[in-house]
Amino acid sequence: MVQIEYGNAHIRLADKVYEPAEDSFLLADAAVSHARDGMRILEVGTGTGFVSAVLKANANVEVVATDISPYAARCARSNGIEVIRTDMFRGLRSGPIFDLIIFNPPYLPTSDEEKVPGWLNYAFDGGIDGRAAVECFVDEAGEYLVRTGMILLLVSSLTGIEYVKTKMGSAGFDVNIVGRTRCFYEELVVLLGNRRA
Ligand SMILES: C[S@@+](CC[C@H](N)C(=O)[O-])C[C@H]1O[C@@H](n2cnc3c(N)ncnc32)[C@H](O)[C@@H]1O
C-alpha cells in the first residue's frame, strides 16, 4: 500500500483514484489557513481524502466530503474521512449547513478523444472548456452555506481564471486569490469566495 505524508497527515493512495499533486497541496494549504475552530466544512470531490485529512490533522473542524467515484469514496473512507458517494451536492440535505466548502475540480478542457477510461476520468475531465464541474459547483454551493460562509475553489489558467472569478461574482461572492503556483504549462490559483451579505 502506497502512503504519503503531508502536513501531519498520512494518506493512503489507491488505484483509479487521483493522486494528490500540486493542485491538492495548494488547496490543502489554503484550506488550513482559512479554517477556524468549530467550522463545519464540506469538501466536494475528495479523491483520496487528502485535503480533508490535512484539514482534520491541522484544525479543530468537522469535515464531511463527497465524491462521485466509488473508488475515491472507498479510499477516502480508509483515510478516516466521512464520505457520501454522490454527484456534487446530491444526497446532502439542502440548507445553510456549512461554513466553508472546498473543491479541487476536474478542470482540464477535454475532448472525447482525450477522455480517460473508467471512473478516473472524473478527476480530469472538465468538459470541452474545462468549466463543467466548476460552473455547477459555483451555481449550487451558496445553497449549502451559512450567511457568512466561504468557498475555496482551485482553478487553472487552462480553465480561465478571470472567467471563473466573474462567474463567482455573479453567484453572490466577493472573490480574492489566496494561493497561486506555476506548474509546467499552467498557473494554478485558489479563489476564495466570501458570500455577500
Ligand atoms: C482533481 S481530483 C481532486 C481530488 C482531491 N480533492 C485532491 O485534491 O487530491 C477531482 C475529484 O473530484 C471528483 N469529482 C468529479 N466530478 C464530481 C462530481 N460531479 N461530484 C463529486 N465528485 C466529483 C473526482 O472523482 C475526483 O476525485
Side-chain angles (χ1 to χ4, degrees), residues 17-21 23-25 27 43-51 66-69 72 86-89 103-107 119 122-124 133:
V17 182
Y18 184 78
E19 180 171 341
D23 49 358
S24 320
F25 306 147
L27 182 61
E43 183 187 12
V44 174
T46 194
T48 59
F50 173 84
V51 179
T66 69
D67 204 290
I68 199 166
S69 156
T86 190
D87 182 357
M88 207 62 73
F89 298 95
F103 191 23
N104 177 11
Y107 58 71
W119 288 98
Y122 282 100
F124 302 106

PDB file of all heavy atoms in Angstrom, residues 17-21 23-25 27 43-51 66-69 72 86-89 103-107 119 122-124 133, ligand 1:
ATOM      1  N   VAL A  17      -7.718   6.270  -8.368  1.00  0.00           N
ATOM      2  CA  VAL A  17      -8.083   7.460  -7.590  1.00  0.00           C
ATOM      3  C   VAL A  17      -6.993   8.504  -7.818  1.00  0.00           C
ATOM      4  O   VAL A  17      -5.792   8.174  -7.808  1.00  0.00           O
ATOM      5  CB  VAL A  17      -8.201   7.136  -6.080  1.00  0.00           C
ATOM      6  CG1 VAL A  17      -8.626   8.380  -5.304  1.00  0.00           C
ATOM      7  CG2 VAL A  17      -9.190   5.995  -5.848  1.00  0.00           C
ATOM      8  N   TYR A  18      -7.398   9.764  -8.002  1.00  0.00           N
ATOM      9  CA  TYR A  18      -6.461  10.853  -8.291  1.00  0.00           C
ATOM     10  C   TYR A  18      -5.374  10.932  -7.222  1.00  0.00           C
ATOM     11  O   TYR A  18      -5.666  11.005  -6.023  1.00  0.00           O
ATOM     12  CB  TYR A  18      -7.245  12.177  -8.322  1.00  0.00           C
ATOM     13  CG  TYR A  18      -6.411  13.369  -8.706  1.00  0.00           C
ATOM     14  CD1 TYR A  18      -6.075  13.599 -10.030  1.00  0.00           C
ATOM     15  CD2 TYR A  18      -5.966  14.265  -7.741  1.00  0.00           C
ATOM     16  CE1 TYR A  18      -5.311  14.699 -10.387  1.00  0.00           C
ATOM     17  CE2 TYR A  18      -5.205  15.377  -8.092  1.00  0.00           C
ATOM     18  CZ  TYR A  18      -4.882  15.574  -9.413  1.00  0.00           C
ATOM     19  OH  TYR A  18      -4.132  16.665  -9.771  1.00  0.00           O
ATOM     20  N   GLU A  19      -4.135  10.909  -7.682  1.00  0.00           N
ATOM     21  CA  GLU A  19      -3.018  11.001  -6.732  1.00  0.00           C
ATOM     22  C   GLU A  19      -2.768  12.474  -6.406  1.00  0.00           C
ATOM     23  O   GLU A  19      -2.586  13.295  -7.316  1.00  0.00           O
ATOM     24  CB  GLU A  19      -1.766  10.380  -7.344  1.00  0.00           C
ATOM     25  CG  GLU A  19      -0.588  10.459  -6.398  1.00  0.00           C
ATOM     26  CD  GLU A  19       0.612   9.662  -6.890  1.00  0.00           C
ATOM     27  OE1 GLU A  19       0.457   8.764  -7.744  1.00  0.00           O
ATOM     28  OE2 GLU A  19       1.725   9.948  -6.406  1.00  0.00           O
ATOM     29  N   PRO A  20      -2.764  12.851  -5.122  1.00  0.00           N
ATOM     30  CA  PRO A  20      -2.571  14.262  -4.765  1.00  0.00           C
ATOM     31  C   PRO A  20      -1.337  14.848  -5.453  1.00  0.00           C
ATOM     32  O   PRO A  20      -0.277  14.222  -5.513  1.00  0.00           O
ATOM     33  CB  PRO A  20      -2.409  14.218  -3.242  1.00  0.00           C
ATOM     34  CG  PRO A  20      -3.176  13.001  -2.841  1.00  0.00           C
ATOM     35  CD  PRO A  20      -2.964  12.000  -3.947  1.00  0.00           C
ATOM     36  N   ALA A  21      -1.511  16.074  -5.963  1.00  0.00           N
ATOM     37  CA  ALA A  21      -0.454  16.740  -6.721  1.00  0.00           C
ATOM     38  C   ALA A  21      -0.421  18.210  -6.313  1.00  0.00           C
ATOM     39  O   ALA A  21      -1.027  18.597  -5.310  1.00  0.00           O
ATOM     40  CB  ALA A  21      -0.739  16.562  -8.218  1.00  0.00           C
ATOM     41  N   ASP A  23      -1.951  20.801  -7.267  1.00  0.00           N
ATOM     42  CA  ASP A  23      -3.261  21.432  -7.038  1.00  0.00           C
ATOM     43  C   ASP A  23      -3.810  21.058  -5.663  1.00  0.00           C
ATOM     44  O   ASP A  23      -4.337  21.898  -4.923  1.00  0.00           O
ATOM     45  CB  ASP A  23      -4.250  21.076  -8.164  1.00  0.00           C
ATOM     46  CG  ASP A  23      -4.320  19.591  -8.474  1.00  0.00           C
ATOM     47  OD1 ASP A  23      -3.582  18.795  -7.860  1.00  0.00           O
ATOM     48  OD2 ASP A  23      -5.138  19.203  -9.333  1.00  0.00           O
ATOM     49  N   SER A  24      -3.654  19.785  -5.293  1.00  0.00           N
ATOM     50  CA  SER A  24      -4.145  19.322  -3.982  1.00  0.00           C
ATOM     51  C   SER A  24      -3.387  20.032  -2.854  1.00  0.00           C
ATOM     52  O   SER A  24      -3.987  20.436  -1.848  1.00  0.00           O
ATOM     53  CB  SER A  24      -3.921  17.810  -3.838  1.00  0.00           C
ATOM     54  OG  SER A  24      -4.198  17.119  -5.034  1.00  0.00           O
ATOM     55  N   PHE A  25      -2.057  20.161  -3.024  1.00  0.00           N
ATOM     56  CA  PHE A  25      -1.237  20.782  -1.966  1.00  0.00           C
ATOM     57  C   PHE A  25      -1.633  22.256  -1.782  1.00  0.00           C
ATOM     58  O   PHE A  25      -1.753  22.737  -0.662  1.00  0.00           O
ATOM     59  CB  PHE A  25       0.264  20.700  -2.302  1.00  0.00           C
ATOM     60  CG  PHE A  25       0.743  19.294  -2.612  1.00  0.00           C
ATOM     61  CD1 PHE A  25       1.756  19.070  -3.538  1.00  0.00           C
ATOM     62  CD2 PHE A  25       0.189  18.193  -1.975  1.00  0.00           C
ATOM     63  CE1 PHE A  25       2.202  17.784  -3.835  1.00  0.00           C
ATOM     64  CE2 PHE A  25       0.625  16.893  -2.265  1.00  0.00           C
ATOM     65  CZ  PHE A  25       1.628  16.698  -3.194  1.00  0.00           C
ATOM     66  N   LEU A  27      -4.517  23.701  -2.498  1.00  0.00           N
ATOM     67  CA  LEU A  27      -5.838  23.826  -1.878  1.00  0.00           C
ATOM     68  C   LEU A  27      -5.779  23.454  -0.398  1.00  0.00           C
ATOM     69  O   LEU A  27      -6.402  24.108   0.444  1.00  0.00           O
ATOM     70  CB  LEU A  27      -6.864  22.939  -2.607  1.00  0.00           C
ATOM     71  CG  LEU A  27      -8.291  23.043  -2.057  1.00  0.00           C
ATOM     72  CD1 LEU A  27      -8.841  24.470  -2.170  1.00  0.00           C
ATOM     73  CD2 LEU A  27      -9.231  22.070  -2.769  1.00  0.00           C
ATOM     74  N   GLU A  43     -16.002  19.095   1.734  1.00  0.00           N
ATOM     75  CA  GLU A  43     -15.125  19.004   0.556  1.00  0.00           C
ATOM     76  C   GLU A  43     -15.857  18.231  -0.536  1.00  0.00           C
ATOM     77  O   GLU A  43     -16.229  17.067  -0.350  1.00  0.00           O
ATOM     78  CB  GLU A  43     -13.799  18.299   0.861  1.00  0.00           C
ATOM     79  CG  GLU A  43     -12.931  18.318  -0.407  1.00  0.00           C
ATOM     80  CD  GLU A  43     -11.643  17.513  -0.347  1.00  0.00           C
ATOM     81  OE1 GLU A  43     -11.458  16.719   0.585  1.00  0.00           O
ATOM     82  OE2 GLU A  43     -10.851  17.673  -1.292  1.00  0.00           O
ATOM     83  N   VAL A  44     -16.034  18.866  -1.668  1.00  0.00           N
ATOM     84  CA  VAL A  44     -16.625  18.190  -2.827  1.00  0.00           C
ATOM     85  C   VAL A  44     -15.480  17.552  -3.619  1.00  0.00           C
ATOM     86  O   VAL A  44     -14.425  18.155  -3.799  1.00  0.00           O
ATOM     87  CB  VAL A  44     -17.403  19.204  -3.697  1.00  0.00           C
ATOM     88  CG1 VAL A  44     -17.906  18.550  -4.982  1.00  0.00           C
ATOM     89  CG2 VAL A  44     -18.573  19.791  -2.911  1.00  0.00           C
ATOM     90  N   GLY A  45     -15.677  16.313  -4.071  1.00  0.00           N
ATOM     91  CA  GLY A  45     -14.660  15.651  -4.899  1.00  0.00           C
ATOM     92  C   GLY A  45     -13.381  15.380  -4.128  1.00  0.00           C
ATOM     93  O   GLY A  45     -12.291  15.803  -4.504  1.00  0.00           O
ATOM     94  N   THR A  46     -13.506  14.597  -3.076  1.00  0.00           N
ATOM     95  CA  THR A  46     -12.391  14.450  -2.127  1.00  0.00           C
ATOM     96  C   THR A  46     -11.261  13.545  -2.628  1.00  0.00           C
ATOM     97  O   THR A  46     -10.151  13.603  -2.122  1.00  0.00           O
ATOM     98  CB  THR A  46     -12.936  13.952  -0.763  1.00  0.00           C
ATOM     99  OG1 THR A  46     -11.942  14.110   0.239  1.00  0.00           O
ATOM    100  CG2 THR A  46     -13.389  12.506  -0.832  1.00  0.00           C
ATOM    101  N   GLY A  47     -11.517  12.689  -3.617  1.00  0.00           N
ATOM    102  CA  GLY A  47     -10.450  11.806  -4.119  1.00  0.00           C
ATOM    103  C   GLY A  47      -9.971  10.861  -3.012  1.00  0.00           C
ATOM    104  O   GLY A  47     -10.765  10.149  -2.397  1.00  0.00           O
ATOM    105  N   THR A  48      -8.682  10.878  -2.752  1.00  0.00           N
ATOM    106  CA  THR A  48      -8.144  10.034  -1.662  1.00  0.00           C
ATOM    107  C   THR A  48      -8.582  10.518  -0.282  1.00  0.00           C
ATOM    108  O   THR A  48      -8.347   9.831   0.712  1.00  0.00           O
ATOM    109  CB  THR A  48      -6.607  10.075  -1.654  1.00  0.00           C
ATOM    110  OG1 THR A  48      -6.205  11.454  -1.481  1.00  0.00           O
ATOM    111  CG2 THR A  48      -5.998   9.509  -2.926  1.00  0.00           C
ATOM    112  N   GLY A  49      -9.130  11.725  -0.223  1.00  0.00           N
ATOM    113  CA  GLY A  49      -9.436  12.343   1.083  1.00  0.00           C
ATOM    114  C   GLY A  49      -8.297  13.225   1.556  1.00  0.00           C
ATOM    115  O   GLY A  49      -8.300  13.723   2.685  1.00  0.00           O
ATOM    116  N   PHE A  50      -7.335  13.466   0.659  1.00  0.00           N
ATOM    117  CA  PHE A  50      -6.113  14.177   1.023  1.00  0.00           C
ATOM    118  C   PHE A  50      -6.389  15.530   1.700  1.00  0.00           C
ATOM    119  O   PHE A  50      -5.911  15.793   2.801  1.00  0.00           O
ATOM    120  CB  PHE A  50      -5.244  14.373  -0.236  1.00  0.00           C
ATOM    121  CG  PHE A  50      -4.057  15.235  -0.003  1.00  0.00           C
ATOM    122  CD1 PHE A  50      -2.887  14.709   0.523  1.00  0.00           C
ATOM    123  CD2 PHE A  50      -4.091  16.603  -0.293  1.00  0.00           C
ATOM    124  CE1 PHE A  50      -1.788  15.522   0.761  1.00  0.00           C
ATOM    125  CE2 PHE A  50      -2.996  17.412  -0.059  1.00  0.00           C
ATOM    126  CZ  PHE A  50      -1.847  16.871   0.466  1.00  0.00           C
ATOM    127  N   VAL A  51      -7.135  16.405   1.043  1.00  0.00           N
ATOM    128  CA  VAL A  51      -7.329  17.768   1.579  1.00  0.00           C
ATOM    129  C   VAL A  51      -8.086  17.700   2.909  1.00  0.00           C
ATOM    130  O   VAL A  51      -7.729  18.372   3.885  1.00  0.00           O
ATOM    131  CB  VAL A  51      -8.062  18.672   0.559  1.00  0.00           C
ATOM    132  CG1 VAL A  51      -8.283  20.062   1.142  1.00  0.00           C
ATOM    133  CG2 VAL A  51      -7.267  18.774  -0.742  1.00  0.00           C
ATOM    134  N   THR A  66     -17.758  14.614  -0.340  1.00  0.00           N
ATOM    135  CA  THR A  66     -18.462  13.833  -1.359  1.00  0.00           C
ATOM    136  C   THR A  66     -17.460  13.443  -2.450  1.00  0.00           C
ATOM    137  O   THR A  66     -16.425  14.085  -2.616  1.00  0.00           O
ATOM    138  CB  THR A  66     -19.612  14.626  -2.039  1.00  0.00           C
ATOM    139  OG1 THR A  66     -19.066  15.673  -2.850  1.00  0.00           O
ATOM    140  CG2 THR A  66     -20.571  15.212  -1.026  1.00  0.00           C
ATOM    141  N   ASP A  67     -17.785  12.390  -3.155  1.00  0.00           N
ATOM    142  CA  ASP A  67     -17.097  12.082  -4.419  1.00  0.00           C
ATOM    143  C   ASP A  67     -18.017  11.190  -5.239  1.00  0.00           C
ATOM    144  O   ASP A  67     -18.731  10.344  -4.700  1.00  0.00           O
ATOM    145  CB  ASP A  67     -15.744  11.397  -4.215  1.00  0.00           C
ATOM    146  CG  ASP A  67     -14.826  11.619  -5.422  1.00  0.00           C
ATOM    147  OD1 ASP A  67     -15.116  11.046  -6.512  1.00  0.00           O
ATOM    148  OD2 ASP A  67     -13.842  12.382  -5.300  1.00  0.00           O
ATOM    149  N   ILE A  68     -17.960  11.377  -6.535  1.00  0.00           N
ATOM    150  CA  ILE A  68     -18.817  10.606  -7.437  1.00  0.00           C
ATOM    151  C   ILE A  68     -18.252   9.203  -7.670  1.00  0.00           C
ATOM    152  O   ILE A  68     -18.994   8.274  -8.006  1.00  0.00           O
ATOM    153  CB  ILE A  68     -18.998  11.372  -8.776  1.00  0.00           C
ATOM    154  CG1 ILE A  68     -20.201  10.861  -9.534  1.00  0.00           C
ATOM    155  CG2 ILE A  68     -17.732  11.344  -9.620  1.00  0.00           C
ATOM    156  CD1 ILE A  68     -20.641  11.787 -10.683  1.00  0.00           C
ATOM    157  N   SER A  69     -16.950   9.032  -7.482  1.00  0.00           N
ATOM    158  CA  SER A  69     -16.294   7.759  -7.794  1.00  0.00           C
ATOM    159  C   SER A  69     -16.346   6.796  -6.604  1.00  0.00           C
ATOM    160  O   SER A  69     -15.952   7.156  -5.492  1.00  0.00           O
ATOM    161  CB  SER A  69     -14.828   8.025  -8.159  1.00  0.00           C
ATOM    162  OG  SER A  69     -14.052   6.878  -7.926  1.00  0.00           O
ATOM    163  N   ALA A  72     -12.830   6.395  -5.176  1.00  0.00           N
ATOM    164  CA  ALA A  72     -12.413   7.524  -4.335  1.00  0.00           C
ATOM    165  C   ALA A  72     -13.115   7.455  -2.980  1.00  0.00           C
ATOM    166  O   ALA A  72     -12.476   7.636  -1.935  1.00  0.00           O
ATOM    167  CB  ALA A  72     -12.729   8.841  -5.039  1.00  0.00           C
ATOM    168  N   THR A  86     -21.674  10.633  -4.078  1.00  0.00           N
ATOM    169  CA  THR A  86     -22.765  11.284  -4.805  1.00  0.00           C
ATOM    170  C   THR A  86     -22.209  12.247  -5.839  1.00  0.00           C
ATOM    171  O   THR A  86     -21.012  12.552  -5.845  1.00  0.00           O
ATOM    172  CB  THR A  86     -23.685  12.035  -3.806  1.00  0.00           C
ATOM    173  OG1 THR A  86     -24.864  12.455  -4.481  1.00  0.00           O
ATOM    174  CG2 THR A  86     -23.022  13.258  -3.200  1.00  0.00           C
ATOM    175  N   ASP A  87     -23.092  12.713  -6.706  1.00  0.00           N
ATOM    176  CA  ASP A  87     -22.735  13.689  -7.721  1.00  0.00           C
ATOM    177  C   ASP A  87     -22.830  15.080  -7.089  1.00  0.00           C
ATOM    178  O   ASP A  87     -23.931  15.518  -6.717  1.00  0.00           O
ATOM    179  CB  ASP A  87     -23.727  13.534  -8.887  1.00  0.00           C
ATOM    180  CG  ASP A  87     -23.423  14.475 -10.034  1.00  0.00           C
ATOM    181  OD1 ASP A  87     -22.487  15.289  -9.922  1.00  0.00           O
ATOM    182  OD2 ASP A  87     -24.135  14.396 -11.051  1.00  0.00           O
ATOM    183  N   MET A  88     -21.693  15.709  -6.943  1.00  0.00           N
ATOM    184  CA  MET A  88     -21.626  17.080  -6.405  1.00  0.00           C
ATOM    185  C   MET A  88     -22.302  17.179  -5.033  1.00  0.00           C
ATOM    186  O   MET A  88     -21.789  16.629  -4.072  1.00  0.00           O
ATOM    187  CB  MET A  88     -22.254  18.028  -7.427  1.00  0.00           C
ATOM    188  CG  MET A  88     -21.748  19.452  -7.397  1.00  0.00           C
ATOM    189  SD  MET A  88     -20.004  19.679  -7.762  1.00  0.00           S
ATOM    190  CE  MET A  88     -19.941  19.371  -9.513  1.00  0.00           C
ATOM    191  N   PHE A  89     -23.456  17.878  -4.929  1.00  0.00           N
ATOM    192  CA  PHE A  89     -24.120  18.066  -3.632  1.00  0.00           C
ATOM    193  C   PHE A  89     -25.319  17.137  -3.442  1.00  0.00           C
ATOM    194  O   PHE A  89     -25.938  17.188  -2.375  1.00  0.00           O
ATOM    195  CB  PHE A  89     -24.634  19.509  -3.512  1.00  0.00           C
ATOM    196  CG  PHE A  89     -23.555  20.541  -3.568  1.00  0.00           C
ATOM    197  CD1 PHE A  89     -23.228  21.166  -4.757  1.00  0.00           C
ATOM    198  CD2 PHE A  89     -22.857  20.911  -2.423  1.00  0.00           C
ATOM    199  CE1 PHE A  89     -22.229  22.136  -4.817  1.00  0.00           C
ATOM    200  CE2 PHE A  89     -21.870  21.878  -2.470  1.00  0.00           C
ATOM    201  CZ  PHE A  89     -21.557  22.491  -3.670  1.00  0.00           C
ATOM    202  N   PHE A 103     -13.280  22.755  -3.131  1.00  0.00           N
ATOM    203  CA  PHE A 103     -13.340  21.857  -4.303  1.00  0.00           C
ATOM    204  C   PHE A 103     -12.082  22.033  -5.145  1.00  0.00           C
ATOM    205  O   PHE A 103     -11.733  23.143  -5.532  1.00  0.00           O
ATOM    206  CB  PHE A 103     -14.579  22.218  -5.140  1.00  0.00           C
ATOM    207  CG  PHE A 103     -14.951  21.229  -6.231  1.00  0.00           C
ATOM    208  CD1 PHE A 103     -14.570  19.886  -6.195  1.00  0.00           C
ATOM    209  CD2 PHE A 103     -15.729  21.652  -7.319  1.00  0.00           C
ATOM    210  CE1 PHE A 103     -14.954  18.989  -7.185  1.00  0.00           C
ATOM    211  CE2 PHE A 103     -16.120  20.773  -8.323  1.00  0.00           C
ATOM    212  CZ  PHE A 103     -15.728  19.443  -8.250  1.00  0.00           C
ATOM    213  N   ASN A 104     -11.421  20.925  -5.397  1.00  0.00           N
ATOM    214  CA  ASN A 104     -10.378  20.855  -6.420  1.00  0.00           C
ATOM    215  C   ASN A 104     -10.999  20.078  -7.579  1.00  0.00           C
ATOM    216  O   ASN A 104     -10.976  18.852  -7.591  1.00  0.00           O
ATOM    217  CB  ASN A 104      -9.144  20.135  -5.874  1.00  0.00           C
ATOM    218  CG  ASN A 104      -8.049  19.965  -6.930  1.00  0.00           C
ATOM    219  OD1 ASN A 104      -8.122  20.552  -8.009  1.00  0.00           O
ATOM    220  ND2 ASN A 104      -7.058  19.145  -6.625  1.00  0.00           N
ATOM    221  N   PRO A 105     -11.586  20.773  -8.538  1.00  0.00           N
ATOM    222  CA  PRO A 105     -12.440  20.111  -9.532  1.00  0.00           C
ATOM    223  C   PRO A 105     -11.639  19.495 -10.674  1.00  0.00           C
ATOM    224  O   PRO A 105     -10.458  19.799 -10.857  1.00  0.00           O
ATOM    225  CB  PRO A 105     -13.258  21.292 -10.073  1.00  0.00           C
ATOM    226  CG  PRO A 105     -12.304  22.440 -10.009  1.00  0.00           C
ATOM    227  CD  PRO A 105     -11.458  22.226  -8.778  1.00  0.00           C
ATOM    228  N   PRO A 106     -12.305  18.664 -11.470  1.00  0.00           N
ATOM    229  CA  PRO A 106     -11.715  18.308 -12.767  1.00  0.00           C
ATOM    230  C   PRO A 106     -11.779  19.568 -13.623  1.00  0.00           C
ATOM    231  O   PRO A 106     -12.860  20.092 -13.852  1.00  0.00           O
ATOM    232  CB  PRO A 106     -12.668  17.219 -13.290  1.00  0.00           C
ATOM    233  CG  PRO A 106     -13.951  17.430 -12.572  1.00  0.00           C
ATOM    234  CD  PRO A 106     -13.633  18.097 -11.266  1.00  0.00           C
ATOM    235  N   TYR A 107     -10.640  20.083 -14.048  1.00  0.00           N
ATOM    236  CA  TYR A 107     -10.652  21.390 -14.709  1.00  0.00           C
ATOM    237  C   TYR A 107      -9.997  21.402 -16.083  1.00  0.00           C
ATOM    238  O   TYR A 107      -9.817  22.456 -16.679  1.00  0.00           O
ATOM    239  CB  TYR A 107      -9.992  22.447 -13.809  1.00  0.00           C
ATOM    240  CG  TYR A 107      -8.565  22.149 -13.411  1.00  0.00           C
ATOM    241  CD1 TYR A 107      -7.534  22.228 -14.331  1.00  0.00           C
ATOM    242  CD2 TYR A 107      -8.250  21.801 -12.104  1.00  0.00           C
ATOM    243  CE1 TYR A 107      -6.229  21.951 -13.966  1.00  0.00           C
ATOM    244  CE2 TYR A 107      -6.945  21.529 -11.725  1.00  0.00           C
ATOM    245  CZ  TYR A 107      -5.945  21.607 -12.656  1.00  0.00           C
ATOM    246  OH  TYR A 107      -4.653  21.331 -12.294  1.00  0.00           O
ATOM    247  N   TRP A 119     -13.648   5.406 -14.034  1.00  0.00           N
ATOM    248  CA  TRP A 119     -14.009   6.435 -13.051  1.00  0.00           C
ATOM    249  C   TRP A 119     -12.954   7.525 -12.921  1.00  0.00           C
ATOM    250  O   TRP A 119     -13.254   8.646 -12.513  1.00  0.00           O
ATOM    251  CB  TRP A 119     -14.249   5.786 -11.683  1.00  0.00           C
ATOM    252  CG  TRP A 119     -15.519   5.006 -11.638  1.00  0.00           C
ATOM    253  CD1 TRP A 119     -15.659   3.654 -11.791  1.00  0.00           C
ATOM    254  CD2 TRP A 119     -16.842   5.516 -11.442  1.00  0.00           C
ATOM    255  NE1 TRP A 119     -16.982   3.300 -11.709  1.00  0.00           N
ATOM    256  CE2 TRP A 119     -17.736   4.423 -11.490  1.00  0.00           C
ATOM    257  CE3 TRP A 119     -17.365   6.802 -11.242  1.00  0.00           C
ATOM    258  CZ2 TRP A 119     -19.110   4.561 -11.329  1.00  0.00           C
ATOM    259  CZ3 TRP A 119     -18.740   6.939 -11.077  1.00  0.00           C
ATOM    260  CH2 TRP A 119     -19.591   5.831 -11.123  1.00  0.00           C
ATOM    261  N   TYR A 122     -13.343  11.205 -14.146  1.00  0.00           N
ATOM    262  CA  TYR A 122     -13.982  12.278 -13.366  1.00  0.00           C
ATOM    263  C   TYR A 122     -12.960  13.174 -12.660  1.00  0.00           C
ATOM    264  O   TYR A 122     -13.292  14.274 -12.243  1.00  0.00           O
ATOM    265  CB  TYR A 122     -14.941  11.694 -12.325  1.00  0.00           C
ATOM    266  CG  TYR A 122     -16.256  11.255 -12.907  1.00  0.00           C
ATOM    267  CD1 TYR A 122     -16.501   9.922 -13.190  1.00  0.00           C
ATOM    268  CD2 TYR A 122     -17.253  12.187 -13.190  1.00  0.00           C
ATOM    269  CE1 TYR A 122     -17.709   9.511 -13.721  1.00  0.00           C
ATOM    270  CE2 TYR A 122     -18.464  11.798 -13.728  1.00  0.00           C
ATOM    271  CZ  TYR A 122     -18.688  10.457 -13.986  1.00  0.00           C
ATOM    272  OH  TYR A 122     -19.892  10.073 -14.528  1.00  0.00           O
ATOM    273  N   ALA A 123     -11.742  12.686 -12.500  1.00  0.00           N
ATOM    274  CA  ALA A 123     -10.726  13.500 -11.831  1.00  0.00           C
ATOM    275  C   ALA A 123     -10.180  14.599 -12.743  1.00  0.00           C
ATOM    276  O   ALA A 123      -9.640  15.593 -12.252  1.00  0.00           O
ATOM    277  CB  ALA A 123      -9.582  12.606 -11.346  1.00  0.00           C
ATOM    278  N   PHE A 124     -10.307  14.404 -14.057  1.00  0.00           N
ATOM    279  CA  PHE A 124      -9.632  15.301 -15.002  1.00  0.00           C
ATOM    280  C   PHE A 124     -10.587  16.058 -15.924  1.00  0.00           C
ATOM    281  O   PHE A 124     -10.318  17.208 -16.296  1.00  0.00           O
ATOM    282  CB  PHE A 124      -8.677  14.488 -15.887  1.00  0.00           C
ATOM    283  CG  PHE A 124      -7.641  13.735 -15.118  1.00  0.00           C
ATOM    284  CD1 PHE A 124      -7.725  12.352 -14.974  1.00  0.00           C
ATOM    285  CD2 PHE A 124      -6.584  14.407 -14.509  1.00  0.00           C
ATOM    286  CE1 PHE A 124      -6.774  11.655 -14.241  1.00  0.00           C
ATOM    287  CE2 PHE A 124      -5.634  13.715 -13.788  1.00  0.00           C
ATOM    288  CZ  PHE A 124      -5.729  12.335 -13.647  1.00  0.00           C
ATOM    289  N   ALA A 133     -17.695  21.184 -14.266  1.00  0.00           N
ATOM    290  CA  ALA A 133     -17.876  20.941 -12.826  1.00  0.00           C
ATOM    291  C   ALA A 133     -17.762  22.248 -12.035  1.00  0.00           C
ATOM    292  O   ALA A 133     -18.478  22.464 -11.053  1.00  0.00           O
ATOM    293  CB  ALA A 133     -16.833  19.928 -12.340  1.00  0.00           C
TER     294      ALA A 133
HETATM  295  C1  LIG B   1      -8.762  16.743  -9.398  1.00  0.00           C
HETATM  296  S1  LIG B   1      -9.470  15.455  -8.417  1.00  0.00           S
HETATM  297  C2  LIG B   1      -9.152  16.114  -6.767  1.00  0.00           C
HETATM  298  C3  LIG B   1      -9.115  15.065  -5.688  1.00  0.00           C
HETATM  299  C4  LIG B   1      -8.715  15.588  -4.304  1.00  0.00           C
HETATM  300  N1  LIG B   1      -9.686  16.540  -3.802  1.00  0.00           N
HETATM  301  C5  LIG B   1      -7.348  16.212  -4.341  1.00  0.00           C
HETATM  302  O1  LIG B   1      -7.275  17.460  -4.298  1.00  0.00           O
HETATM  303  O2  LIG B   1      -6.358  15.470  -4.409  1.00  0.00           O
HETATM  304  C6  LIG B   1     -11.234  15.746  -8.607  1.00  0.00           C
HETATM  305  C7  LIG B   1     -12.118  14.785  -7.811  1.00  0.00           C
HETATM  306  O3  LIG B   1     -13.483  15.213  -7.976  1.00  0.00           O
HETATM  307  C8  LIG B   1     -14.299  14.070  -8.179  1.00  0.00           C
HETATM  308  N2  LIG B   1     -15.468  14.522  -8.935  1.00  0.00           N
HETATM  309  C9  LIG B   1     -15.526  14.902 -10.231  1.00  0.00           C
HETATM  310  N3  LIG B   1     -16.769  15.242 -10.580  1.00  0.00           N
HETATM  311  C10 LIG B   1     -17.524  15.098  -9.469  1.00  0.00           C
HETATM  312  C11 LIG B   1     -18.909  15.287  -9.185  1.00  0.00           C
HETATM  313  N4  LIG B   1     -19.758  15.712 -10.123  1.00  0.00           N
HETATM  314  N5  LIG B   1     -19.353  15.037  -7.938  1.00  0.00           N
HETATM  315  C12 LIG B   1     -18.495  14.607  -6.974  1.00  0.00           C
HETATM  316  N6  LIG B   1     -17.174  14.380  -7.188  1.00  0.00           N
HETATM  317  C13 LIG B   1     -16.696  14.629  -8.414  1.00  0.00           C
HETATM  318  C14 LIG B   1     -13.419  13.077  -8.913  1.00  0.00           C
HETATM  319  O4  LIG B   1     -13.886  11.753  -8.790  1.00  0.00           O
HETATM  320  C15 LIG B   1     -12.058  13.333  -8.242  1.00  0.00           C
HETATM  321  O5  LIG B   1     -11.896  12.503  -7.127  1.00  0.00           O
END
